[in-house]
Amino acid sequence: MPSVQGENRSSATCPVRGREGTVDLGNRRLTIAGRARPLDDLTLKLLTDWLDHRRRRWPSTANLHLLINHQTANTTGRASNHWLSAPLRGQDTTLERLRVDRQLEEALTHGADPLHLAEVFGLDEKTAMRYADSARSLLEQAAEQHLR
């Protein structure tokens, strides 16, 4: 689980608890378990917005975890899986569907490049190629409909 250290938004690197790694805002990189991934514009914006909110809401917290809540802000524990998934209960979507949708959106945005997908999401080559193929198919369908 990515975590935060220091009060300064410009701090270059934040340690990751539980899954050794770093969040490097300056270089737009997320490293978990030794695997570095670039942060796309959307993820970087959401991350910096959350960090700003987190600093305002819990300015004195000693909790280094990135995702904290009112129960964990005064401890050093991480937010529960239940807390993370509760907002989606009863919805038509799941965390898995959001993850897949995000990967497909990235493929559509960056021209269905499997190398880019593998780098950004840490996908194996077969999965990255499958997402790229799906994106190409959607792009071709959209182009055909536009021509009609």
Side-chain angles (χ1 to χ4, degrees):
M1 180 76 61
S3 62
V4 182
Q5 184 171 356
E7 295 296 315
N8 188 334
R9 178 178 175 170
S10 65
S11 64
T13 303
C14 306
V16 176
R17 288 279 172 124
R19 300 176 111 188
E20 297 302 314
T22 59
V23 176
D24 184 344
L25 297 176
N27 291 315
R28 300 176 60 139
R29 310 276 309 156
L30 171 65
T31 304
I32 297 178
R35 185 168 180 89
R37 297 179 180 100
L39 292 172
D40 61 274
D41 292 339
L42 175 62
T43 306
L44 181 64
K45 171 140 179 42
L46 292 173
L47 181 58
T48 55
D49 287 352
W50 168 253
L51 290 173
D52 287 343
H53 167 77
R54 184 184 187 282
R55 272 188 213 95
R56 283 190 312 275
R57 179 84 189 259
W58 301 288
S60 301
T61 187
N63 192 323
L64 295 178
H65 290 281
L66 175 64
L67 299 177
I68 62 174
N69 58 30
H70 68 282
Q71 293 176 326
T72 63
N74 295 319
T75 70
T76 57
R78 68 182 202 71
S80 70
N81 289 340
H82 173 78
W83 181 79
L84 292 170
S85 61
L88 297 177
R89 285 200 180 81
Q91 302 297 318
D92 290 337
T93 193
T94 63
L95 290 175
E96 177 65 14
R97 285 174 124 185
L98 289 173
R99 182 188 65 79
V100 168
D101 184 66
R102 177 68 190 95
Q103 290 171 340
L104 183 56
E105 188 273 335
E106 185 74 13
L108 290 168
T109 301
H110 289 282
D113 178 4
L115 293 175
H116 175 78
L117 295 174
E119 173 74 10
V120 170
F121 296 108
L123 302 174
D124 66 55
E125 61 187 47
K126 289 182 181 177
T127 303
M129 288 170 50
R130 191 173 75 242
Y131 279 111
D133 288 343
S134 294
R136 270 189 219 97
S137 178
L138 287 171
L139 289 169
E140 288 170 3
Q141 289 174 10
E144 288 173 5
Q145 289 178 355
H146 187 267
L147 292 174
R148 292 181 189 171

